[in-house]
């Protein structure tokens, strides 16, 4: 691995954006904030930069990456939009939505970034720093979450640093992110299909489309070697401590990830954090990965997680928690 790089950390500023653009242009790796989670960016058109990115993350190379762009025109140069895809882009971009579309013939994104698929995942983030970098760079930037593959996604620059220090060139620190879970991924196939629930609630998309989204096939949820979306690997977003879902009781030695009013008996827990004491799902999403990381350091027997409602951002939160709860070898 390319451990041993010195990783520069810069607070967000015009100078940091310029340094990010310079580094990307040289094939380097730059972590930067988006509204969902911190991304690890590389020049999408530079296959060796993309290879370095897979290596820095320890990511299986069959997992395709999202190409981030500054505007719809740039998106249309790499992906073929049909009417419905265009409607979704106009309604929700910039924002936490990724569209998977057929690649255009002139698509400049490296095959390695799309893992040889004839489709491409495209996202136009709304975060001011991400947009500034994309605009100034002027080419698509692939950016998976800026964590070691399989770890919890980073929502602060400190999370990025703890996973990737010494493996990447630059971290632009823009403070904690706003949404806290990754973008919603929609496959724009014959009928739009929800590939990964995320920062844009399903209900809002269905409202714009005027119909229900197709559900991804159930086997996309397994550890199949060609997942439709890698966030779909059954075990992903994983703390080291075992996770127990829908906890209605708490045992001694367990840590509690609470939502709304903590369980009776939580005063005996090894540690307690509350995703949202007022039962707000948006606040819970923003806190989710930070709190999982925090509880993972408590040497608890188990992280017990209280039930989370499944509507709005709750669908993405529950998806990530289910994956965090899958036991790994
Ligand atoms: O919010 C986000 O989407 C963050 C920020 C940094 O933008 N990025 C992110 O990237 O979550 P990543 O690489 O962790 O997840 C990208 C997902 C993967 O599950 C991948 O399999 C899926 O997008 N994906 C990429 N290209 C695809 C394609 N052509 N077809 C189906 N899924 C695709
Ligand atoms: Mg990820």
């Amino acid at each position: 691995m390319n451990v041993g790089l010195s990783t520069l950390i810069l607070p967000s500023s015009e100078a940091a954006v310029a340094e990010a653009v310079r580094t990307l242009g040289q094939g380097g790796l730059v972590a930067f904030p988006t509204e969902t989670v911190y991304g690890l960016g590389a020049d999408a058109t530079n296959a060796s930069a993309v290879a370095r990115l897979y290596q820095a993350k320890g990511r299986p190379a069959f997992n395709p990456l999202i190409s981030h762009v500054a505007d719809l025109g740039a998106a249309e140069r790499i992906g073929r939009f049909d009417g419905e895809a265009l409607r979704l882009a106009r309604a929700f971009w910039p924002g936490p939505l990724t569209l998977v579309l057929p690649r255009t013939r002139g698509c400049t994104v490296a095959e390695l970034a799309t893992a040889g698929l004839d489709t491409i995942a495209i996202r136009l983030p709304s975060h001011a720093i991400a947009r500034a970098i994309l605009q100034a760079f002027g080419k698509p930037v692939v950016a998976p979450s800026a964590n070691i593959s399989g770890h919890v996604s980073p929502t602060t620059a400190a999370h990025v640093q703890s996973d990737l220090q010494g493996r990447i060139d630059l971290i632009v620190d823009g403070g904690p992110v706003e949404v806290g879970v990754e973008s919603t991924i929609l496959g724009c196939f014959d009928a739009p299909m929800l590939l990964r629930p995320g920062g844009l609630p399903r209900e809002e998309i269905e409202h714009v489309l005027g119909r229900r989204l197709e559900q991804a096939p159930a086997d996309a949820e397994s550890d199949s070697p060609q997942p439709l979306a890698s966030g779909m690997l059954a075990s992903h977003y994983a703390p080291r401590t075992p996770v127990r879902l829908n906890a209605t009781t708490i045992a001694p030695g367990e840590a509690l990830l609470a939502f709304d009013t903590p369980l009776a008996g939580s005063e005996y827990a090894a540690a307690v954090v509350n995703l949202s004491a007022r039962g707000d799902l948006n606040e819970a999403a923003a806190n989710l990965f930070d709190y999982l990381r925090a509880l993972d350091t408590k040497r608890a027997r188990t992280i017990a997680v209280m039930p989370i409602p499944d509507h709005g951002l709750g669908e993405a939160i529950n998806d990530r928690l289910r994956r965090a709860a899958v036991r790994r070898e």
Side-chain angles (χ1 to χ4, degrees):
M1 302 297 289
N2 47 349
V3 186
L5 281 181
S6 68
T7 303
L8 182 63
I9 303 171
L10 294 175
S12 68
S13 64
E14 273 180 36
V17 169
E19 181 62 19
V21 168
R22 200 181 64 80
T23 307
L24 289 170
Q26 294 177 340
L29 303 180
V30 178
F32 60 88
T34 80
E35 69 279 19
T36 56
V37 299
Y38 274 71
L40 178 59
D43 178 351
T45 67
N46 177 339
S48 59
V50 176
R52 287 187 65 213
L53 189 155
Y54 281 119
Q55 190 194 27
K57 274 193 61 112
R59 180 177 196 144
F62 50 72
N63 282 344
L65 301 169
I66 299 172
S67 292
H68 296 65
V69 292
D71 53 53
L72 185 55
E76 285 177 311
R77 285 195 284 280
I78 58 176
R80 272 211 321 274
F81 287 71
D82 63 10
E84 236 164 14
L86 215 47
R87 178 134 48 107
L88 291 167
R90 294 214 169 100
F92 297 115
W93 280 356
L97 173 68
T98 295
L99 297 176
V100 176
L101 308 160
R103 281 174 72 115
T104 57
R105 296 192 67 185
C107 179
T108 50
V109 171
E111 288 279 348
L112 183 59
T114 52
L117 299 171
D118 50 15
T119 53
I120 185 164
I122 308 177
R123 166 159 139 72
L124 207 158
S126 63
H127 194 289
I129 297 168
R131 298 202 71 190
I133 292 172
L134 292 168
Q135 243 151 28
F137 187 56
K139 288 193 270 185
V141 170
V142 281
S145 48
N147 52 274
I148 293 281
S149 191
H151 279 190
V152 173
S153 290
T155 57
T156 66
H159 295 161
V160 178
Q161 203 185 344
S162 86
D163 270 25
L164 296 175
Q165 173 92 50
R167 293 170 174 259
I168 65 177
D169 300 288
L170 173 64
I171 301 172
V172 180
D173 183 352
V177 301
E178 193 184 308
V179 178
V181 290
E182 301 86 344
S183 62
T184 299
I185 303 183
L186 276 192
C188 296
F189 308 134
D190 292 342
M193 180 183 282
L194 185 64
L195 298 179
R196 176 177 78 180
L200 180 67
R202 162 208 292 276
E203 294 90 329
E204 291 187 34
I205 300 168
E206 292 179 339
H207 182 76
V208 163
L209 290 176
R211 59 171 157 140
R212 281 306 182 81
L213 286 174
E214 298 283 317
Q215 200 63 42
D219 65 1
E221 296 242 320
S222 72
D223 272 317
S224 99
Q226 281 289 351
L228 279 166
S230 83
M232 294 176 152
L233 288 175
S235 156
H236 201 74
Y237 310 104
R240 284 170 290 266
T241 315
V243 172
R244 181 167 74 83
L245 300 179
N246 295 315
T248 50
T249 58
I250 175 98
E254 287 191 316
L256 179 65
L257 186 63
F259 178 78
D260 210 321
T261 308
L263 286 174
S266 63
E267 58 274 28
Y268 304 112
V272 182
V273 289
N274 198 333
L275 288 171
S276 173
R278 55 195 163 93
D280 178 320
L281 290 165
N282 294 2
E283 182 184 30
N287 289 330
L288 178 67
F289 291 138
D290 187 43
Y291 287 9
L292 277 176
R293 277 179 189 259
L295 289 183
D296 203 19
T297 65
K298 302 291 183 195
R299 299 178 178 279
R301 215 156 43 103
T302 316
I303 298 172
V305 183
M306 287 178 62
I308 315 277
D310 207 41
H311 57 84
L313 289 194
E315 187 176 8
I317 295 171
N318 283 319
D319 173 81
R320 304 306 187 269
L321 285 169
R322 274 193 299 277
R323 294 173 204 291
V326 171
R327 293 308 340 249
R328 279 141 291 136
E329 267 84 282

